[in-house]
Structures are given as C-alpha cells and as structure tokens.
Amino acid sequence: MRPDSGRPERDAAPDGAAERHGCTAAESTGRVDKGPGRYAFLPWLLMGMGAFSNIIQGKAGNPWLAGAGLLTFNSLYITVVFSAFDPRRRDTRYPLYALAALTAVTVAVALGFGGEWFLFFPLLSLASGTVRALRGKPLALWLIALSGSAGFLSGWYADDPWGSFGIGYGTFLSGMVTATVLSLFDTNNELRATRQELARSAVEKERLRFSRDLHDLLGHTLSVVVVKAEAVRRLAPRDLDAALAQAADIEAVGRQALTEVREAVSGYREGSLGTELDRARSALDGAGIEPVVRRAGPPLPPQAEALLGWVVREGVTNAVRHSGATRCEIDVHTDDERVRLTITDDGRGPLGSGPAGADGTAAAAPGAATGGTGLTGLAERLAAAGGTLRSGPDGRRGFRVTAELPVGAGDLADEEWAG
C-alpha cells in the first residue's frame, strides 16, 4: 500500500505498462480529441448575409417568400449538422432525410432568386461533409454531382463562366475538406483507443506470466519443503545428523525460492535444465521416490532449457504430491532437430493424477492444471514454440508426461509468453 494514497501499488501497473508500450499517461486515462463540434459549423451561415441583404433591400422580388426560403434553409442546415453530431441519430437515416430536404430547398431558392443565393450550394456541401453515412465513395460521388450541378446552374442563370467555376469549385472543396478533417479526428480517436487496448493487453499478459511463474515456482518449492520437513520428523528420533542435513536442505530451498520469486517479479528468470534435474533428484529422494535421470545429446539453447526446466519442475511436483510412486524416471534425448523429455513414474497412474479425458489421456493432477495453470499452462508455452506436451497413463500403472520441442525454438515462445 502507498501511504499517500491508500491504494494498492498494483493498481498503478496499467499506467506504467501503457507508458512502456507507447501510450502517454493522458492516453491511458481515455482522453479523446473531439475535433470540431456542431457549433463550429454555425458561423458559416454568415455566407447567407448576401441573400439576407437582398431581402432587406427588396432585390429578391418577393421578400416574404425569400425570407421564408432563407429561414427554411437555415433551419434545415442546423438540423443536418446537429443530427450528424448527435450520437443517437448520426448513424441513422435521419441526417440523410434532412440533407435531402436541404438539397431541395437550396436548388429552389438558388433558381428562384439567383445571384447571392447560389452561395448556399457550398453551405449544402459543408453540411454534406458532416453526415457519416456519406463518408467514403458515396460522398465523393455526391460532391462531384453537387458541384457540377451548382456550377452548371450558376453559369446558366448568370451567364458567367468564371463565377460558375468558383461556385462549383467552392462547393466541392467545402464538403471534401469538412469530411477529411472529421475523418482524421475519428481515425485519430480510433488509433488512440487501439493503443489503449494494446496497453491493457500487455498488462494482462504480464500479469498472466507472473501468475503462472509464481504458481510453478511456489508449487514446486513448497512441495519440496513439505517433503523434507516430513523427512526431518521421521529421521530426528533415530538419526540426528540426517535430520539436520534435511533441515539444511529446507533452508537452501527457501533461500533459492526467494531468489527465484524476485527474478520472476523482474521478468528475468531463465531456468536451467541441469539445475532443475538436480533439484528433481533431491525432491524425489526426499519423498522416498527413487530418481532415475538420463540425458543424452548436445547442449540446448538457453530458452529451450528454460521451457523444459518448467516441465521437469511441474512433472516432478505432481509425482511428489499425488503419485504415491516408488520410482520416477526422467529421460532427456536431443538430436539435431528436436528434444524429447519424458517423465514416468510407477504410481497410481490416472487415479493419482486426475480423471481421464475424452481422448483417453489423463488430466493433470488436481490443482496442477486448473485455472489455466500447471500442465495446461506448460502445454500452451510449448505450443507457442512449435512443441507439444502430452500427459496420460503409462500402461496399466503409472503416469507419463512427454514434452517435445524443436531445438532453438525457445526464443519465439519466450517472446510470445512475455508479451
């Protein structure tokens, strides 16, 4: 707990992981760049001041009809823009219907009054750029048709080629720029959300790695401590020296466990197969199980040794805890392409290791492969490196765990597992 906040330190882990994976602190808190809002498009209505001036000066022919047209245009323009930014309506057909009505009014007032009223076409295009349903190819086709129509009608009405070109060009540019800017902000927010999700995923992977490593580390270590403590209790009345030797082993195992837990927390633990085989001999011997260890073939890369070391640790832990065996054989055979590790005991077999599955193979020991840990977790690690892990009965009696791994494939598994 941090004394200044009263909150567990692990709660701060996602922010740190977000920093390490390319997200800033502001991004990890869900900040969103909203970009231009609906009110940013209202000042553009000032482009209609020319039409309003014509009404005031009496140049529009029928001022009341012109005023009604201007009011209707402004109302529909605001309706299109506001509905395009409304989360409840922007993905419906409502903005499209409003845009269709706005288009009809724009064409009517432009042809009815001409002159400054043709500036409503760029405003119509501006409103079109805010409608999400038109984004992409439909918007491009709509703007081409709209700008072409605006330029043609303007030139036909006023017989001014340069003016018609300006109206057409302005109409196309207004809608295209608006849609592009809004699309960029949407894309930026999507990328930000993706980065946040990747950061959260990285944190979850790291937590999963740590929980699996801690399970494997402490499960094996505590099993060895229990076995050796039982040996101390049995030996103390009749052989004090032997009991003291077992007690010294408990101390050594405890110290080693502390070191391994620190390394697991730091993410730097890299087990050695030779070390795990030595520990397996000691654990089996302390449990009264005869260990038989055979290893043949060339040395393995460090990452492959680390993966197989986990298999030895888990397999021997299950044998000590659940098998009731008197003999356990560990065989490691390596050739130029693959390495094969087999752990076989003569214990109670599937009955001592859990119920058999539908495919005929036995499940891992109770507690050994539940909740995504134990043999199940090891199978996932080896599968990530192109290997396999099989467990099941060894004939009529006993239990066997077999792991196969391509030589040199451990690097890939380690990268995928660590996230």
Side-chain angles (χ1 to χ4, degrees):
M1 300 284 289
R2 292 198 300 265
D4 60 334
S5 66
R7 188 179 56 162
E9 288 191 8
R10 62 183 178 85
D11 291 346
D15 292 338
E19 294 283 354
R20 290 195 301 272
H21 289 80
C23 286
T24 65
E27 289 171 342
S28 65
T29 58
R31 187 188 69 193
V32 177
D33 291 334
K34 296 182 179 180
R38 54 189 179 182
Y39 294 107
F41 293 88
L42 296 185
W44 292 101
L45 288 174
L46 293 176
M47 293 177 62
M49 287 299 296
F52 180 74
S53 176
N54 288 342
I55 297 175
I56 296 299
Q57 297 176 7
K59 298 180 180 179
N62 189 334
W64 293 104
L65 183 61
L70 179 61
L71 180 62
T72 303
F73 177 89
N74 289 342
S75 300
L76 289 174
Y77 175 89
I78 294 174
T79 300
V80 172
V81 172
F82 276 44
S83 63
F85 284 91
D86 186 351
R88 295 172 299 178
R89 292 183 173 181
R90 62 188 181 188
D91 294 320
T92 66
R93 292 186 175 274
Y94 186 86
L96 291 175
Y97 295 148
L99 183 64
L102 181 63
T103 302
V105 171
T106 302
V107 173
V109 297
L111 292 180
F113 302 104
E116 301 292 338
W117 296 79
F118 277 100
L119 291 177
F120 287 161
F121 275 102
L123 284 175
L124 171 61
S125 177
L126 197 70
S128 301
T130 65
V131 179
R132 290 174 178 266
L134 285 178
R135 298 278 174 85
K137 187 176 179 179
L139 178 62
L141 295 176
W142 167 246
L143 292 181
I144 291 174
L146 185 61
S147 59
S149 300
F152 172 78
L153 293 176
S154 175
W156 172 76
Y157 190 93
D159 194 21
D160 182 7
W162 290 108
S164 65
F165 175 79
I167 292 294
Y169 179 74
T171 299
F172 181 82
L173 195 62
S174 298
M176 187 58 66
V177 170
T178 300
T180 301
V181 171
L182 294 178
S183 296
L184 285 176
F185 276 99
D186 289 344
T187 302
N188 183 58
N189 288 329
E190 290 175 3
L191 290 174
R192 191 185 304 278
T194 301
R195 294 179 67 184
Q196 289 181 237
E197 185 62 31
L198 289 174
R200 284 192 293 268
S201 177
V203 172
E204 292 302 321
K205 286 183 179 180
E206 181 64 15
R207 287 176 174 169
L208 180 60
R209 179 202 68 80
F210 176 72
S211 66
R212 291 178 187 270
D213 285 2
L214 197 61
H215 167 271
D216 294 341
L217 284 170
L218 295 184
H220 172 79
T221 300
L222 294 178
S223 296
V224 173
V225 168
V226 170
V227 169
K228 289 189 175 292
E230 292 175 348
V232 170
R233 179 174 52 81
R234 292 195 309 268
L235 294 171
R238 63 177 186 274
D239 191 344
L240 184 58
D241 291 338
L244 291 175
Q246 294 291 338
D249 287 346
I250 293 176
E251 180 182 0
V253 169
R255 293 182 183 278
Q256 182 63 32
L258 287 175
T259 301
E260 290 178 345
V261 168
R262 293 190 189 102
E263 292 173 347
V265 170
S266 301
Y268 294 125
R269 187 176 189 278
E270 203 170 86
S272 166
L273 180 58
T275 302
E276 294 298 341
L277 291 175
D278 291 339
R279 293 175 183 169
R281 288 191 187 96
S282 176
L284 291 169
D285 191 47
I289 303 174
E290 179 187 357
V292 179
V293 180
R294 293 183 291 267
R295 184 173 183 178
L300 295 171
Q303 298 298 335
E305 286 217 353
L307 284 173
L308 294 179
W310 284 114
V311 177
V312 171
R313 177 182 287 262
E314 184 66 27
V316 170
T317 299
N318 289 339
V320 170
R321 283 181 175 177
H322 311 292
S323 70
T326 60
R327 178 185 174 92
C328 181
E329 298 182 4
I330 305 175
D331 183 75
V332 183
H333 179 75
T334 308
D335 55 29
D336 294 336
E337 296 182 355
R338 297 184 72 83
V339 56
R340 179 188 179 94
L341 168 66
T342 305
I343 304 173
T344 309
D345 65 59
D346 62 353
R348 292 188 294 268
L351 295 178
S353 302
D359 59 354
T361 62
T370 59
T373 57
L375 294 177
T376 300
L378 290 174
E380 294 173 357
R381 291 192 181 196
L382 267 67
T388 59
L389 180 71
R390 298 187 300 274
S391 59
D394 182 32
R396 297 179 60 185
R397 186 174 176 81
F399 193 75
R400 171 177 292 183
V401 176
T402 302
E404 293 190 13
L405 186 68
V407 174
D411 293 334
L412 175 61
D414 184 68
E415 291 176 4
E416 292 189 6
W417 198 258

